[in-house]
Amino acid sequence: MAGDLRVTSSVTLREEELQWRFSRSSGPGGQSVNTTDSRAELTVDLAATPALSEHQRARVLEALAGRLVDGRLTVSASEHRSQLRNREAAAERLAQVLREALAPPPPKRRPTKPSRGAQRRRAESKTRRSQTKALRRRPTD
């Protein structure tokens, strides 16, 4: 899993910017579970990376504010038994998180009113429902 990490067509994180850490993974693994460092953690310093423009950096730092520690984003993967597959999973997860953070915000909702016909149909259905319930009641003398 060597090489640069492509996030979008315009953003690529250099291999030198990525820090890997490995540790023992929990869960099933057979005889090698206590001896293999298969869990992978990938960290990137978003506050200092030259891969992002100032506008992109501001957007990412704001979007991921709750996940950052000193401007650094860390993702981990331990779902696979091999370190290589966990490295690939962590890299893909990091790229996905950054893609979502870089995406522009959705357009604002324009408030609308129900049409006159929709308001009339709603009132009529309420009247019909009221009459149906009235017919279920005990008749009054």
Side-chain angles (χ1 to χ4, degrees), residues 6-96:
R6 187 176 186 91
V7 178
T8 65
S9 59
S10 62
V11 177
T12 301
L13 295 173
R14 306 266 321 174
E15 185 177 7
E16 300 83 42
E17 300 176 63
L18 306 174
Q19 286 100 31
W20 289 98
R21 256 185 57 205
F22 305 101
S23 59
R24 294 200 177 120
S25 182
S26 64
Q31 293 176 339
S32 68
V33 73
N34 294 324
T35 59
T36 307
D37 289 342
S38 60
R39 179 176 186 265
E41 273 188 19
L42 179 56
T43 304
V44 64
D45 190 354
L46 296 175
T49 182
L52 299 172
S53 68
E54 285 306 313
H55 176 70
Q56 290 172 328
R57 185 183 332 279
R59 179 180 279 172
V60 166
L61 291 177
E62 181 182 339
L64 300 175
R67 289 191 63 165
L68 300 180
V69 177
D70 297 329
R72 301 168 71 80
L73 174 64
T74 302
V75 294
S76 63
S78 61
E79 59 267 12
H80 302 290
R81 286 172 60 170
S82 81
Q83 186 187 96
L84 178 63
R85 290 185 62 196
N86 281 330
R87 286 175 69 133
E88 291 168 352
E92 182 52 42
R93 198 167 295 153
L94 178 74
Q96 185 61 37

